[in-house]
Amino acid sequence: MPVQPNPDEASLLVRRALDLHESALIAYSAGILNGDVERAREVVQDSLLKLYLTEPAKVQDNLKAWLYTVCRNRALDILRKDQRLDLGNEDALGLAASFDPDPSEHADSHEMHARVWELVEKLRPNQREVIRLKFMHDCSYQEIAEVTGLSTGNVGFIMHTAIKKLRQMMQRELATRERTPTPS
Amino acid sequence: MNPHPHENPDLTAYSLGELDAQHAAQVHGLLRISPTAASEMEQIEAVAQALSQTAPVPVDRLHPAQRRAVLNPAQMPRMMAPLMPRPMPARRRSAWPVLAGMMKAAAVIALSLAGYWVGRHSDWMSSAPSIAVDDASIKGVPSVENPPLVAATTEPQLELAKPAPVEMPVTPDEEVKPVEIVIVEEKAAPPAAVEVAAASPATDQSATEPVVLVESPPNTPAAPAPVVRALTRPAAGTAFVSTTRQAVSQFALRPADIRPAPPQPAPGQTFAAPMTARPEVRDEAKPPRAPELYIHSWKADVAVCPWNPAHRLMRVVIQLPADQPAATQSFSYPLHVAFDPNNVREYRQLCERHLPAGELRSAGTHSLWYEYLPNGKSEPGKNVATITLPQGRFTTQTVGPFDGSKLSVTERGLDWRSAREDFIFDTAVVGFGLLLRGVNQSPALNHQLVLTLAEKTLDSDSTGERRRFVRQVREAKAAAGL
């Protein structure tokens, strides 16, 4: 006979998850779902309903990682059903290699900082995901490892590679702008 | 730690505060002695700072309706339903050793039985000549004038008559090829194999004569019906399936099976061909599209199972016109039988039967049989199952279900005695099939119950099919020594 979770306790946990992580989970799911916020909302709703059916003692200690994991799996399921899951990300690599900024756009390094999240979109999916989890959702390496199913060492390596790649892209863009003559 | 600063993930982890004290001290020491590492660290921190300072702030929230559903899930039973029947992992782990042991024991028993069966049959095949010579009944008969002929002709009869626990029909094509056949009229109506067994000791009468094999006259009811070509397939798995684990039974419906067989030309007969048929050219890039499947009607009957009153029998009958494109091609169509887990605890498919169309312009029939155990107290009006045939189209709007391609089956609390005669007769046929296949079922299912069921339907036996069935069941019962 399966043990049913205490509804009061589960409700409190769901309310806590809503208060703390609602918007962050929607943003994270939308990032996986290619920016589809409506489907991201459905993913978060499903995940919170699943949380309601789960025994609170099993998840309340690592609620954040649990929520991100469930949302990630649900979003990936949707992508697989749509057959839009792109694990190789060859297109994104091509875009990153052939990135050519608008010459009419002038920006200093301060503006480049503002554009760094646009460059994040050109990273590989796994790099993009660890960057988002770290800097948008404030997850530790351990939490990222739990969410993505990777080892902590692997997360560190992907993070290092992603930051190095971002740095190269920023330097290349800055160099391109410096070579471009400024209209007087 | 990787000594090369460019390939050292610890530098990134250090700048993000992810290293433990020991590793952080090592990186701190490296930064003091290596200007390259210090420069690398500055660049990493610059990117990390840019990412942290300009990270977008999530602002999207759930819609009010979604928020209400999450905070009050008890008010959303339709949304909760798909999530309820999830299996509990801990329970599955605890049951696995028991299941594994049972499976091993079943495998050992099955192998033993198979070995016994093979050994027994190999004895029949290998010892047949010695039985013909050394058997006491053969020794007791007077000597014959032409021993080689007698030995050669009596062997097949002894093989058939002695060891068979279940009656096997004797056909002249298989058994009497080496000998001459004389067909005689059947006086009474004993089984053919029994007649052969009785005749075999009397080989002294036929020492110089050809062997006499009794065969029913072709116009007697015992002959199989030549027109109807019934293709009955037993279910692949006969064990009960819990609806919490698998609520949907899916299989393929092949309309080509219900088309009557084309007439075969007589041997040696040839037809003039004015022109050769052109081979059909298919576009390899595009797979051929399955034609739409047309259905005359379909219906479902539910009644109490005669051999297990706690169970129910469900029959689904689909009428398919034979003169449709789908019946001429080898496409198959998915048919789903989704049992309601709230009202059905477990189920199993008993058999599947095709009845081809009698002629081209009529309809063939496809029947399905299920046995299920109701969940709790069975009450009339409860939904039992929903049957869907996604690509099915009805030829007439006034026949069959009107909700697209969906058929809902409801519990009516009908006793099998009150069911229609064709349902009762088909129940008898299904029960006989279970007996022959040795499927696990209630001990109440036996030859006598099958006979009781079938004999109740003899009043409306227009084709004689039911009487033939009753006779065959009686013969099988006698052959089994019951």
Side-chain angles (χ1 to χ4, degrees):
Chain A
M1 182 84 184
V3 179
Q4 292 295 326
N6 184 350
D8 293 338
E9 206 174 342
S11 297
L12 287 176
L13 199 62
V14 170
R15 183 169 287 280
R16 182 178 140 207
L18 259 181
D19 293 342
L20 293 179
H21 306 294
E22 177 186 3
S23 297
L25 287 172
I26 292 173
Y28 174 63
S29 304
I32 298 175
L33 292 167
N34 304 315
D36 191 341
V37 178
E38 286 305 316
R39 298 183 89 171
R41 284 193 175 104
E42 293 171 5
V43 165
V44 174
Q45 183 191 11
D46 285 353
S47 305
L48 291 171
L49 285 172
K50 188 171 184 179
L51 174 63
Y52 188 83
L53 295 173
T54 307
E55 199 174 339
K58 289 184 177 176
V59 294
Q60 58 191 3
D61 290 339
N62 58 345
L63 177 63
K64 184 178 178 182
W66 188 91
L67 285 169
Y68 277 87
T69 305
V70 173
C71 284
R72 179 179 191 268
N73 293 339
R74 183 81 185 96
L76 291 178
D77 282 347
I78 290 175
L79 281 188
R80 283 192 195 98
K81 283 180 185 171
D82 290 353
Q83 297 182 343
R84 291 193 296 172
L85 184 59
D86 181 17
L87 294 175
N89 199 29
E90 297 300 327
D91 295 340
L93 282 178
L95 277 175
S98 63
F99 177 67
D100 190 12
D102 185 359
S104 64
E105 186 178 353
H106 296 275
D108 56 10
S109 62
H110 182 72
E111 287 176 338
M112 277 305 301
H113 282 196
R115 286 205 58 201
V116 68
W117 280 96
E118 295 174 26
L119 299 177
V120 168
E121 296 300 318
K122 302 182 190 325
L123 294 173
R124 288 169 180 256
N126 56 353
Q127 296 172 345
R128 202 163 55 213
E129 186 170 25
V130 295
I131 289 284
R132 280 180 183 152
L133 284 170
K134 179 66 189 173
F135 295 101
M136 275 181 70
H137 306 290
D138 200 24
C139 290
S140 65
Y141 275 15
Q142 182 62 40
E143 287 171 331
I144 295 174
E146 287 181 29
V147 171
T148 58
L150 300 167
S151 66
T152 311
N154 220 337
V155 170
F157 180 78
I158 293 173
M159 181 73 74
H160 175 74
T161 314
I163 287 181
K164 198 169 70 173
K165 184 77 180 173
L166 275 176
R167 196 176 70 208
Q168 290 171 357
M169 291 162 71
M170 292 169 74
Q171 288 172 346
R172 193 183 307 139
E173 189 167 357
L174 278 175
T176 307
R177 288 179 181 176
E178 284 169 2
R179 284 199 300 270
T180 306
T182 308
S184 55
Chain B
M1 189 168 58
N2 195 331
H4 200 286
H6 294 289
E7 306 300 334
N8 191 350
D10 285 349
L11 288 180
T12 304
Y14 178 82
S15 71
L16 298 177
E18 292 285 348
L19 283 185
D20 56 26
Q22 183 184 359
H23 283 88
Q26 289 178 1
V27 173
H28 190 69
L30 176 68
L31 290 173
R32 277 196 304 183
I33 61 173
S34 170
T36 311
S39 170
E40 179 77 10
M41 174 63 78
E42 283 180 8
Q43 297 189 45
I44 290 172
E45 284 181 338
V47 176
Q49 191 179 6
L51 287 167
S52 301
Q53 289 178 351
T54 59
V57 179
V59 291
D60 292 313
R61 301 179 73 87
L62 292 177
H63 292 308
Q66 291 174 322
R67 177 174 279 268
R68 275 197 302 275
V70 167
L71 292 175
N72 303 291
Q75 296 176 4
M76 307 288 291
R78 293 177 66 83
M79 300 185 68
M80 293 291 292
L83 296 173
M84 288 302 288
R86 68 196 169 102
M88 297 301 289
R91 193 177 172 189
R92 201 187 312 161
R93 277 199 300 272
S94 63
W96 172 244
V98 180
L99 280 176
M102 291 174 64
M103 287 169 64
K104 287 175 184 173
V108 169
I109 293 172
L111 284 173
S112 305
L113 288 176
Y116 171 71
W117 188 86
V118 169
R120 192 173 174 190
H121 279 258
S122 61
D123 285 343
W124 292 350
M125 301 302 291
S126 60
S127 62
S130 61
I131 287 174
V133 176
D134 300 336
D135 190 276
S137 62
I138 301 298
K139 282 181 181 174
V141 301
S143 62
V144 294
E145 295 179 9
N146 195 353
L149 178 61
V150 172
T153 54
T154 52
E155 281 170 14
Q157 299 177 33
L158 287 173
E159 279 181 19
L160 276 174
K162 286 188 66 177
V166 180
E167 179 192 355
M168 302 287 289
V170 180
T171 58
D173 288 346
E174 296 172 355
E175 301 299 333
V176 226
K177 275 185 180 174
V179 299
E180 188 178 352
I181 306 168
V182 176
I183 298 176
V184 298
E185 288 290 324
E186 187 180 16
K187 295 292 193 315
V194 174
E195 184 67 24
V196 172
S200 58
T203 47
D204 54 338
Q205 300 173 4
S206 57
T208 56
E209 296 173 5
V211 174
V212 176
L213 190 68
V214 177
E215 187 189 46
S216 302
N219 56 352
T220 58
V227 176
V228 178
R229 181 171 55 93
L231 306 173
T232 304
R233 281 198 293 266
T238 53
F240 278 98
V241 180
S242 172
T243 52
T244 57
R245 281 186 283 126
Q246 183 185 346
V248 180
S249 172
Q250 176 178 336
F251 52 92
L253 181 63
R254 287 184 292 277
D257 289 347
I258 53 95
R259 189 175 174 82
Q264 297 293 329
Q269 188 177 5
T270 56
F271 293 98
M275 57 182 295
T276 56
R278 292 181 181 175
E280 189 178 354
V281 179
R282 287 188 176 180
D283 188 0
E284 295 295 334
K286 295 180 180 178
R289 185 170 173 269
E292 286 178 335
L293 177 65
Y294 290 94
I295 307 167
H296 273 340
S297 68
W298 60 356
K299 64 177 180 180
D301 299 297
V302 175
V304 174
C305 181
W307 50 84
N308 193 343
H311 287 195
R312 302 287 182 272
L313 285 181
M314 183 175 88
R315 180 184 66 170
V316 182
V317 182
I318 306 170
Q319 281 194 330
L320 303 166
D323 53 346
Q324 59 173 315
T328 62
Q329 300 174 34
S330 59
F331 288 102
S332 61
Y333 297 83
L335 181 63
H336 305 260
V337 182
F339 287 88
D340 188 349
N342 295 322
N343 300 327
V344 176
R345 185 178 303 171
E346 54 188 18
Y347 67 91
R348 66 174 174 176
Q349 188 189 351
L350 297 178
C351 71
E352 179 185 1
R353 188 185 192 198
H354 286 291
L355 279 177
E359 55 188 0
L360 196 62
R361 306 295 298 179
S362 63
T365 306
H366 184 89
S367 305
L368 291 170
W369 279 87
Y370 283 93
E371 181 180 357
Y372 70 88
L373 174 63
N375 201 357
K377 188 178 179 182
S378 177
E379 295 176 359
K382 279 187 175 179
N383 182 50
V384 174
T386 303
I387 305 165
T388 51
L389 187 56
Q391 298 177 38
R393 286 175 173 270
F394 287 89
T395 54
T396 54
Q397 291 298 319
T398 56
V399 179
F402 309 112
D403 181 18
S405 56
K406 187 182 292 184
L407 174 63
S408 293
V409 185
T410 55
E411 170 74 53
R412 294 180 181 173
L414 188 67
D415 188 56
W416 65 268
R417 296 174 188 83
S418 308
R420 285 192 293 230
E421 280 192 349
D422 62 331
F423 183 89
I424 297 174
F425 178 72
D426 282 358
T427 303
V429 175
V430 169
F432 189 49
L434 292 176
L435 281 178
L436 291 180
R437 286 157 53 202
V439 174
N440 286 335
Q441 74 274 325
S442 165
L445 175 59
N446 50 34
H447 290 80
Q448 187 55 46
L449 178 61
V450 172
L451 282 174
T452 304
L453 291 168
E455 284 169 349
K456 281 185 177 296
T457 65
L458 292 181
D459 292 340
S460 56
D461 184 18
S462 58
T463 61
E465 177 194 18
R466 296 177 183 179
R467 295 186 190 282
R468 283 198 298 275
F469 174 75
V470 167
R471 188 163 57 250
Q472 287 172 354
V473 174
R474 282 183 183 146
E475 290 171 0
K477 182 183 175 187
L482 299 174

